[in-house]
Amino acid sequence: MVEGFGIEDFPYAFVWNKSVPPKVNFLVWCILHEKLNTIDNLHIRGVDIYNSCILCGDDTESHDHVFLHCKVAHKIWSMIFPTSCWSWVVPGNMKMLACNWQHKHFSASGNFIWSLIPAAVVYTIWLERNKRIFEPNHTFKTEADLGMEVRSSILAWADAANRSVHINHASTVLNTSDAIFI
């Protein structure tokens, strides 16, 4: 760390994507700095509550668990990636994901879409997590519904940025994820 200049090699482009809404960029920034009020952080601050992931119920809630290692999060990430000839190894933590996310093997629109994926995934997961905790009448969404929300966010952000992704919205959102990388 360089004194007064923040984190060395900070993944600036990963966090501050001009095509992503500012509140989502800030969420990504908070995740990378581990500043969200996940249950493990609340315990550190002296709040004594039961620590279990609201999404899967299988593990303790932390930044890395909620956004990467939770079985619900893993299914959402898996739904977004191309289904043919791809295999994804889940990174150990969000900082590793951010530092290694850059990819330039697609078309121009595919690379643009690729840059939106992490923000859309973490934003969708965080919204669902908070609704499950704070809205008592919320009907839990399935992984398929959450995957659809991620794809819809990506396409909405691309449209707001006036970026043509050369795809049919219906085929992208309702069919396989391979279509978004054409």
Side-chain angles (χ1 to χ4, degrees):
M1 181 163 181
V2 179
E3 188 64 36
F5 293 103
I7 298 171
E8 190 175 329
D9 298 324
F10 184 75
Y12 182 86
F14 181 87
V15 174
W16 302 111
N17 187 330
K18 65 183 179 181
S19 299
V20 171
K23 69 180 180 179
V24 179
N25 285 330
F26 183 67
L27 173 67
V28 174
W29 183 90
C30 288
I31 292 167
L32 291 181
H33 286 84
E34 298 183 4
K35 298 295 182 187
L36 294 180
N37 282 330
T38 53
I39 296 174
D40 64 330
N41 275 348
L42 292 174
H43 280 178
I44 291 169
R45 293 181 180 113
V47 178
D48 188 26
I49 55 178
Y50 179 71
N51 191 351
S52 177
C53 175
I54 191 75
L55 297 172
C56 70
D58 289 343
D59 208 340
T60 58
E61 184 183 270
S62 68
H63 287 79
D64 295 327
H65 174 78
V66 168
F67 298 109
L68 291 173
H69 305 287
C70 171
K71 65 184 176 186
V72 173
H74 187 268
K75 286 180 184 176
I76 294 168
W77 284 104
S78 297
M79 280 186 253
I80 298 305
F81 292 126
T83 55
S84 60
C85 302
W86 273 69
S87 175
W88 188 54
V89 177
V90 179
N93 58 51
M94 286 299 293
K95 289 177 186 170
M96 288 174 63
L97 176 75
C99 291
N100 295 302
W101 187 255
Q102 299 305 319
H103 200 316
K104 300 294 179 193
H105 295 133
F106 304 119
S107 65
S109 63
N111 288 332
F112 174 72
I113 295 290
W114 185 260
S115 74
L116 302 177
I117 291 173
V121 171
V122 299
Y123 183 62
T124 300
I125 290 170
W126 191 245
L127 286 179
E128 179 64 14
R129 175 240 183 229
N130 287 342
K131 287 177 182 178
R132 289 183 183 193
I133 292 173
F134 300 114
E135 295 179 16
N137 297 326
H138 174 68
T139 302
F140 289 12
K141 293 181 180 167
T142 66
E143 290 92 351
D145 292 337
L146 295 171
M148 183 96 62
E149 283 190 26
V150 169
R151 291 183 186 130
S152 295
S153 293
I154 290 168
L155 293 172
W157 297 344
D159 186 51
N162 292 319
R163 293 291 301 260
S164 175
V165 292
H166 307 292
I167 53 175
N168 177 322
H169 181 275
S171 69
T172 301
V173 174
L174 299 175
N175 296 325
T176 68
S177 59
D178 291 336
I180 64 173
F181 296 104
I182 296 172

